[in-house]
Amino acid sequence: MAYKAPVEQISFILNNIVGFPELAASERFVDATPETAGAILSEAGKMATNVLARLNRNGDEHPAALENGKLRSSPGYADGFRAIADGGWIGLPANPEYGGMGLPQALNMSVSEMMAGACLALQLNPLLTQGQIEALEHHASDELKALYLPKLISGEWSGTMNLTEPGAGSDVGALSSRADRNDDGTYSVTGQKIFITWGDSDVTENVCHLVLARLPDGGKGTKGISLFMVPKLIPDENGNPGVANKLKVVSLEEKMGIHGSPTCVMSYEGATGWLVGKEHGGMAAMFTMMNVARLGVGVQGVGVAEAALQQAVAYAQERNQMGPIIQHPDVRRMLATARAEVFAARAICLACATAIDMQIATGDADQAARAAFLTPIAKAYGTDVGCRVADTGVQVHGGMGYVEETGAAQYLRDVRITPIYEGTNGIQAMDLVGRKLSDGGEAAMRLLDEILDAAKAAQSAHPALANQVWQAAETLREATQDMLERDLSERFAGAVPYLSAFARVLGGAYHLKAVQAGGADHLALARVYMARVLPRYASDLVEAQAGLADLTDIDDAVLAGDFRA
Amino acid sequence: MAYKAPVEQISFILNNIVGFPELAASERFVDATPETAGAILSEAGKMATNVLARLNRNGDEHPAALENGKLRSSPGYADGFRAIADGGWIGLPANPEYGGMGLPQALNMSVSEMMAGACLALQLNPLLTQGQIEALEHHASDELKALYLPKLISGEWSGTMNLTEPGAGSDVGALSSRADRNDDGTYSVTGQKIFITWGDSDVTENVCHLVLARLPDGGKGTKGISLFMVPKLIPDENGNPGVANKLKVVSLEEKMGIHGSPTCVMSYEGATGWLVGKEHGGMAAMFTMMNVARLGVGVQGVGVAEAALQQAVAYAQERNQMGPIIQHPDVRRMLATARAEVFAARAICLACATAIDMQIATGDADQAARAAFLTPIAKAYGTDVGCRVADTGVQVHGGMGYVEETGAAQYLRDVRITPIYEGTNGIQAMDLVGRKLSDGGEAAMRLLDEILDAAKAAQSAHPALANQVWQAAETLREATQDMLERDLSERFAGAVPYLSAFARVLGGAYHLKAVQAGGADHLALARVYMARVLPRYASDLVEAQAGLADLTDIDDAVLAGDFRA
């Protein structure tokens, strides 16, 4: 069963749930009318459906490989990447001054979701390139911008992010890559980086690495880190790829999934780099792009969930075991629950994207706080739903789901990276209960007020559903208050279930809005959500408030399975 | 980090939680003293730790392959299988008359868990062979028994089960394989079978296939099916492997995991077979072994969970990111939750095994009903825990978990088959709320009384924990009553969450028993369980009682993502 980009669903959510039409009222996004949005979604959807989706199995069956030190990408990926670049989708949110479209992230994330659903391993390339574009727009010198942005936006060149080292993962500040100042104002970058997505490419003529490294006088921890542009081929005086830089791909990781995406071990051996932002200010530059990158990963989860679910539904309609299995109550329960969760996760991601856009358009601090609060929820819930729904897809296929030829297993293997990279979902949850509650809960309470407003609006037409959301939101408010009174360690112990509860309740509010704006189908889906997805907020919150004592009381040996007699 | 067989933990549960010592009071299991059990667990544990665990990566990296129509198994598997056979473990529960040890299933399942934790793909071979031994013991003629049982029990030959066909999975009755009567009392079997685990083997000198097929006068559905022994090599007059039978392995499936276990498409082309049981009585013979086989799969889930958790704990102790990550509250939460669930799942599986043994030893109908009720819970919860814990293992490893070299991903890919085969977990749950509640809930209520007894016994020493279990059991009793009043379709819609709730509450009772019998470590683990695992029974039961209407009201098109405007 072929993936079909969910253009109508995305349009419905943009226009009726998350306030996308309000963006066009701003000067910044005056072009982002629902009409333009519709045309763009339709066009990008066609590409995802007709071009990218066909490449998805290729990447899994013929992984990216290193041949004589050079990358050989999966069959058809070069054409796929060209289609993405030619559509202008890489530069969709980028500055028009350098060739971008300057359109909202809400639209960009919608297109990203469709590309990720069609072919996750390939979509990672434009996703990383977009992150680099954003970092350069905010922090690079005018010279660097003029040289790199047009090439990145057009897709002639692609971009990577080099943070992780063997000893520095979640703890970025522990990195040991070194940068030395050269006399000509450039830098020499030396070190090893791991987990570099699309660290080499044969689908673009140059690969531009943004690398975090420490200057000799850079202090310890994150505050001593600087960011450098280190191109694979050093641009000549005309801005064309010139001599090879002193860097190489050492090896590719053999991974559980996204085989079409080369995950590289990179070695920089005195490679020439150009400073991006200020010396020792590398982390600030990284943080600029982090919200968008994290949201982008949440959206990947939604995209794969959509694709896996479409395939599972098609299989369940065709497969007969005492009638089509889609009619069996348990199979129907799995599929309906998955559909209700995909709706909620998509709405949360697009609400987050719209908040980022509103912040850009208005500079409003409340919108900034709203975007910041929604980001870890969108990332973690989007990717959790991605994994859950892909897992459901395998289960619905029965034995055929475990056989690779159906592709159901690939969705599960591919999407399993998304709760890990760009900050694990545990890190997201800690960000939520730590940094994002550090305003004393203001952003959380404003969001809860929005949820209550949605419940109020639905009260007269759908009292039962509205009351469920209302009650859940009130319980969540109490739990939030309780969180605020705990120290950080206790909050961290309850962070993941707290985030899960918040996502469920928020999803409930968006389902209510859909019921108000949509027809009988949305009402039917909302009922499934309220019966099978929302109620689990309660046990999430029980665990969120369980504290830390039980975890500190237990011995490491017991965790390993050794109990004292 | 190497797998270490959890001998002490298993012994503790056998001797203190599930009533294993009572078995030795019966005539049937008079030899199964705790001392004998201890010696057997220790010996089998050594083999699992020292021999089998080393083979686990081999199977994944060098899958079983078909070379010129013959199977080539993974490196070292032949030695591993020989170690299992030489230990006598294949015949552990088998009739001593044919070379078996005649020991309880509780002990057999304990050994199976350790073998599965060490090397799931290889353990499948003795698991299937044991199933065949059991079927032959109950249903084969004396001649067939005398010929086949000694060879199967010694591990000279191995056994397979041939049920599934392309059009007949969960609906076994739809099968189309055919058997014709020959003049000499044998049969000619023709048809194609799929998903045949270890359908060929180079680790044994013969492979014995039990094949379900329909005689010309066999009616439609399950009642017209007969069971046949169809050996790969037809035994000669001395009982040695003779001429090749008319059957072949057409191909091997490429699967998500258990690469070391060849999953075969088999073709029978007028192959000579011998009837097992009565004509048209094949399903009865299958049902005989089904309880044990299903429990065996639940135990596989526990085994892989144990192995994955041991590795995750070891990694979390070594990995430093601002201190060893095992000290981070969220990582500790994941590991402690996993350990608490592994304990519960293991106790449930061994309680089920002991009930099967008590039924064998006493012929008591209540014990039979108890075993029958516990079986789907053990299968589904054991394998769900297997998947959850293996997933946790990947997540704790962060990016390294997604890279195949650590082995964390293999556990997840391997164990993912267990909720599917031997009846999907959806089928298990439907069996629970359908057939297993068809006694009007008697077996369920007796089990709930046991849970309440455990709570009462813990009441004075640990009132808070005991009250939690008590309350949960009372709520579960009400939900069970409610289930009984619903029709089958409604029960099926709530079957999976109902089973989950039952498992959580039952696990709570076994944790209480462990607190009574064990020391401070068990108390600490029970607290984690009561805070983080048990409470989710409540939302499970909300969903279990949600009914069917929301699922029938929703359109297939909506499930696929197409909403009416």
Side-chain angles (χ1 to χ4, degrees):
Chain A
M1 144 86 198
Y3 169 78
K4 184 165 158 278
V7 170
E8 298 299 325
Q9 264 303 290
I10 290 173
S11 296
F12 175 82
I13 290 174
L14 286 176
N15 292 326
N16 297 286
I17 311 288
V18 300
F20 178 81
E22 294 165 37
L23 287 175
S26 72
E27 196 180 338
R28 173 70 177 79
F29 294 121
V30 68
D31 295 336
T33 60
E35 292 68 34
T36 303
I40 281 180
L41 290 177
S42 165
E43 208 49 44
K46 274 184 213 158
M47 177 199 60
T49 300
N50 299 331
V51 181
L52 302 188
R54 297 173 189 199
L55 306 175
N56 197 39
R57 295 289 297 144
N58 287 8
D60 197 55
E61 291 171 349
H62 308 284
L66 212 55
E67 291 176 349
N68 303 318
K70 285 183 191 287
L71 188 90
R72 200 250 317 122
S73 61
S74 300
Y77 270 36
D79 295 339
F81 184 82
R82 195 46 49 206
I84 296 169
D86 290 350
W89 309 127
I90 299 171
L92 195 148
N95 192 336
E97 197 179 326
Y98 300 102
M101 294 193 202
L103 288 166
Q105 282 295 344
L107 216 43
N108 184 45
M109 291 296 160
S110 299
V111 173
S112 290
E113 190 216 297
M114 297 191 287
M115 295 197 292
C119 190
L120 183 66
L122 176 57
Q123 184 260 349
L124 273 161
N125 189 323
L127 183 72
L128 271 289
T129 301
Q130 286 188 338
Q132 181 164 114
I133 291 168
E134 197 189 0
L136 295 179
E137 283 183 348
H138 284 90
H139 299 281
S141 66
D142 289 343
E143 290 77 11
L144 286 182
K145 283 188 199 170
L147 179 53
Y148 286 92
L149 285 177
K151 303 277 195 184
L152 291 165
I153 288 170
S154 67
E156 289 166 85
W157 299 358
S158 57
T160 76
M161 297 302 314
N162 288 239
L163 290 78
T164 306
E165 299 180 5
S170 300
D171 183 9
V172 179
L175 67 78
S176 65
S177 286
R178 200 178 79 232
D180 295 296
R181 297 181 186 91
N182 298 328
D183 294 340
D184 63 356
T186 65
Y187 297 77
S188 290
V189 176
T190 301
Q192 196 181 60
K193 296 285 182 177
I194 60 170
F195 298 153
I196 307 310
T197 298
W198 280 96
D200 195 14
S201 161
D202 59 355
V203 307
T204 53
E205 61 172 18
N206 202 0
V207 181
C208 308
H209 304 287
L210 279 183
V211 183
L212 286 180
R214 202 182 303 275
L215 286 162
D217 53 348
K220 284 192 178 178
T222 54
K223 288 180 183 168
I225 297 173
S226 307
L227 183 66
F228 301 91
M229 166 60 79
V230 186
K232 171 185 172 183
L233 303 173
I234 297 176
D236 64 19
E237 64 273 24
N238 301 316
N240 294 319
V243 297
N245 209 340
K246 289 177 185 158
L247 62 90
K248 67 178 181 201
V249 178
V250 177
S251 59
L252 304 187
E253 303 290 357
E254 196 190 321
K255 307 185 301 298
M256 187 180 178
I258 50 168
H259 294 163
S261 169
T263 302
C264 302
V265 176
M266 303 291 302
S267 175
Y268 296 89
E269 298 153 353
T272 304
W274 283 261
L275 185 70
V276 176
K278 295 187 179 145
E279 287 192 348
H280 319 311
M283 285 307 285
M286 291 304 307
F287 273 117
T288 302
M289 54 180 289
M290 206 171 272
N291 270 1
V292 174
R294 289 180 166 187
L295 173 57
V297 172
V299 158
Q300 289 185 323
V302 176
V304 177
E306 174 69 44
L309 180 54
Q310 285 184 15
Q311 177 167 327
V313 170
Y315 183 82
Q317 287 177 312
E318 287 162 21
R319 174 73 175 165
N320 269 288
Q321 291 287 286
M322 301 165 276
I325 64 170
I326 199 170
Q327 299 300 338
H328 295 197
D330 183 57
V331 172
R332 209 162 177 82
R333 176 190 64 82
M334 289 193 273
L335 296 173
T337 304
R339 176 53 67 196
E341 284 218 287
V342 168
F343 175 88
R346 179 178 285 136
I348 289 171
C349 285
L350 294 180
C352 179
T354 311
I356 291 172
D357 292 325
M358 287 302 281
Q359 163 193 3
I360 292 168
T362 65
D364 183 60
D366 283 1
Q367 287 291 348
R370 186 167 186 274
F373 194 86
L374 285 171
T375 298
I377 300 176
K379 195 277 182 180
Y381 187 63
T383 58
D384 282 346
V385 167
C387 290
R388 277 203 286 271
V389 173
D391 192 73
T392 292
V394 168
Q395 193 68 19
V396 166
H397 280 74
M400 290 308 294
Y402 200 66
V403 172
E404 291 288 358
E405 81 184 66
T406 58
Q410 186 191 340
Y411 287 127
L412 181 55
R413 289 186 292 98
D414 282 356
V415 79
R416 187 60 188 81
I417 186 58
T418 62
I420 294 174
Y421 62 19
E422 216 43 57
T424 66
N425 284 5
I427 298 273
Q428 304 300 324
M430 288 189 270
D431 176 50
L432 183 71
V433 299
R435 195 186 308 256
K436 304 301 165 64
L437 283 184
S438 66
D439 61 356
E442 275 187 41
M445 295 304 170
R446 273 198 303 270
L447 213 42
L448 283 163
D449 287 341
E450 280 186 42
I451 294 167
L452 292 174
D453 286 346
K456 265 184 231 166
Q459 177 66 38
S460 63
H462 305 284
L465 300 181
N467 284 339
Q468 265 192 280
V469 174
W470 179 282
Q471 181 57 53
E474 285 299 343
T475 311
L476 179 58
R477 185 194 297 279
E478 287 161 26
T480 303
Q481 208 58 58
D482 176 77
M483 270 286 175
L484 288 164
E485 287 158 20
R486 292 174 186 267
D487 68 21
L488 265 190
S489 294
E490 290 216 340
R491 288 190 203 178
F492 287 170
V496 164
Y498 176 79
L499 185 152
S500 172
F502 215 114
R504 286 176 200 278
V505 178
L506 200 51
Y510 295 140
H511 270 288
L512 285 185
K513 285 188 165 200
V515 169
Q516 299 286 96
D521 286 342
H522 282 288
L523 179 57
L525 189 63
R527 286 198 170 122
V528 171
Y529 188 88
M530 302 304 173
R532 297 166 197 283
V533 181
L534 177 67
R536 292 179 186 275
Y537 85 89
S539 37
D540 283 341
L541 290 181
V542 169
E543 192 190 348
Q545 299 176 75
L548 183 66
D550 64 325
L551 301 178
T552 49
D553 282 355
I554 201 164
D555 243 50
D556 283 12
V558 175
L559 301 180
D562 293 328
F563 293 65
R564 284 163 296 187
Chain B
M1 142 87 197
Y3 169 77
K4 184 165 159 278
V7 170
E8 298 299 325
Q9 264 304 289
I10 290 173
S11 295
F12 176 83
I13 289 174
L14 286 176
N15 291 326
N16 297 285
I17 311 288
V18 300
F20 178 82
E22 294 164 36
L23 288 175
S26 72
E27 197 179 337
R28 174 71 177 77
F29 294 122
V30 68
D31 295 336
T33 60
E35 292 68 35
T36 302
I40 281 179
L41 290 178
S42 164
E43 207 50 45
K46 275 184 211 158
M47 177 198 61
T49 301
N50 298 329
V51 181
L52 302 188
R54 297 174 188 198
L55 306 175
N56 198 40
R57 294 289 296 143
N58 286 9
D60 198 55
E61 291 171 350
H62 308 284
L66 211 56
E67 292 177 349
N68 302 317
K70 287 184 191 286
L71 188 90
R72 200 248 320 120
S73 61
S74 299
Y77 270 36
D79 295 340
F81 184 81
R82 195 47 49 206
I84 296 169
D86 291 350
W89 310 129
I90 299 171
L92 195 149
N95 192 337
E97 197 180 328
Y98 300 102
M101 293 192 202
L103 288 167
Q105 283 294 345
L107 215 44
N108 184 46
M109 290 297 161
S110 299
V111 173
S112 290
E113 189 216 297
M114 298 191 286
M115 295 197 292
C119 188
L120 183 66
L122 176 57
Q123 185 261 347
L124 274 161
N125 190 322
L127 183 73
L128 270 290
T129 302
Q130 286 189 338
Q132 180 164 113
I133 291 168
E134 196 189 1
L136 294 179
E137 283 183 349
H138 284 89
H139 300 281
S141 66
D142 288 343
E143 289 76 11
L144 284 182
K145 283 187 201 174
L147 178 54
Y148 286 92
L149 285 177
K151 304 276 195 184
L152 291 165
I153 288 170
S154 67
E156 288 166 88
W157 299 357
S158 57
T160 76
M161 298 302 315
N162 288 238
L163 289 79
T164 307
E165 299 180 5
S170 300
D171 183 9
V172 179
L175 67 78
S176 66
S177 286
R178 197 179 82 232
D180 295 296
R181 296 180 187 90
N182 299 328
D183 294 340
D184 62 357
T186 65
Y187 296 78
S188 290
V189 176
T190 301
Q192 195 180 62
K193 295 286 181 176
I194 61 170
F195 297 153
I196 307 310
T197 298
W198 281 95
D200 195 14
S201 160
D202 58 355
V203 306
T204 53
E205 61 173 18
N206 203 0
V207 181
C208 308
H209 304 287
L210 279 183
V211 183
L212 287 180
R214 203 182 304 274
L215 287 162
D217 53 347
K220 285 191 177 178
T222 54
K223 289 179 182 167
I225 297 174
S226 307
L227 183 66
F228 302 92
M229 165 60 78
V230 186
K232 171 185 171 183
L233 303 173
I234 297 176
D236 63 20
E237 64 274 20
N238 301 315
N240 295 318
V243 297
N245 209 341
K246 290 176 185 161
L247 63 91
K248 67 178 181 203
V249 178
V250 178
S251 59
L252 304 187
E253 303 291 357
E254 196 190 321
K255 307 185 301 298
M256 187 180 177
I258 50 168
H259 294 164
S261 169
T263 303
C264 303
V265 176
M266 303 292 303
S267 174
Y268 296 89
E269 296 153 355
T272 305
W274 284 262
L275 185 70
V276 176
K278 295 186 179 143
E279 288 191 346
H280 319 311
M283 285 306 285
M286 290 305 305
F287 272 118
T288 302
M289 54 179 291
M290 206 170 272
N291 270 359
V292 174
R294 290 181 164 185
L295 173 57
V297 172
V299 159
Q300 290 185 322
V302 177
V304 177
E306 174 69 43
L309 180 53
Q310 286 184 16
Q311 177 168 328
V313 170
Y315 184 81
Q317 287 177 312
E318 286 161 21
R319 175 71 174 166
N320 270 288
Q321 291 287 286
M322 302 164 277
I325 64 171
I326 198 169
Q327 298 300 337
H328 295 197
D330 182 57
V331 172
R332 211 165 176 79
R333 177 190 63 82
M334 288 194 272
L335 296 173
T337 304
R339 175 54 67 197
E341 283 218 289
V342 168
F343 175 88
R346 179 178 285 136
I348 289 171
C349 285
L350 294 180
C352 179
T354 310
I356 292 172
D357 292 324
M358 287 302 280
Q359 164 193 3
I360 293 169
T362 66
D364 183 60
D366 284 0
Q367 287 292 346
R370 186 168 187 275
F373 194 86
L374 284 171
T375 298
I377 300 177
K379 196 277 182 182
Y381 186 63
T383 58
D384 282 346
V385 166
C387 290
R388 277 203 287 272
V389 173
D391 192 72
T392 291
V394 169
Q395 193 68 17
V396 167
H397 280 75
M400 290 308 294
Y402 200 67
V403 172
E404 291 288 0
E405 80 184 66
T406 58
Q410 186 191 339
Y411 286 127
L412 181 55
R413 290 186 291 98
D414 282 356
V415 80
R416 187 61 187 82
I417 186 60
T418 62
I420 295 174
Y421 62 20
E422 215 44 55
T424 67
N425 284 5
I427 298 273
Q428 303 301 323
M430 287 189 271
D431 177 50
L432 184 71
V433 300
R435 195 186 307 256
K436 303 302 164 64
L437 283 184
S438 66
D439 61 356
E442 275 187 43
M445 295 304 169
R446 274 198 303 270
L447 213 42
L448 283 163
D449 288 340
E450 280 185 43
I451 294 168
L452 293 174
D453 286 346
K456 266 184 230 166
Q459 178 65 39
S460 62
H462 305 284
L465 300 181
N467 284 340
Q468 265 193 277
V469 174
W470 180 282
Q471 182 57 53
E474 285 299 343
T475 312
L476 180 57
R477 186 194 297 279
E478 287 162 26
T480 302
Q481 208 60 55
D482 175 76
M483 270 287 175
L484 288 165
E485 287 158 20
R486 293 174 186 268
D487 68 22
L488 264 190
S489 294
E490 290 217 339
R491 289 190 202 178
F492 287 169
V496 164
Y498 176 79
L499 185 151
S500 171
F502 216 114
R504 285 176 200 277
V505 178
L506 201 51
Y510 294 141
H511 270 289
L512 285 184
K513 284 189 166 196
V515 169
Q516 298 286 94
D521 285 342
H522 282 288
L523 179 58
L525 190 63
R527 287 198 169 121
V528 171
Y529 188 88
M530 303 305 174
R532 299 169 195 281
V533 181
L534 177 67
R536 292 179 186 275
Y537 84 89
S539 37
D540 282 343
L541 290 181
V542 168
E543 192 189 348
Q545 299 176 75
L548 183 65
D550 64 324
L551 301 178
T552 49
D553 281 354
I554 200 164
D555 243 49
D556 283 12
V558 174
L559 301 181
D562 293 328
F563 293 66
R564 285 163 298 187

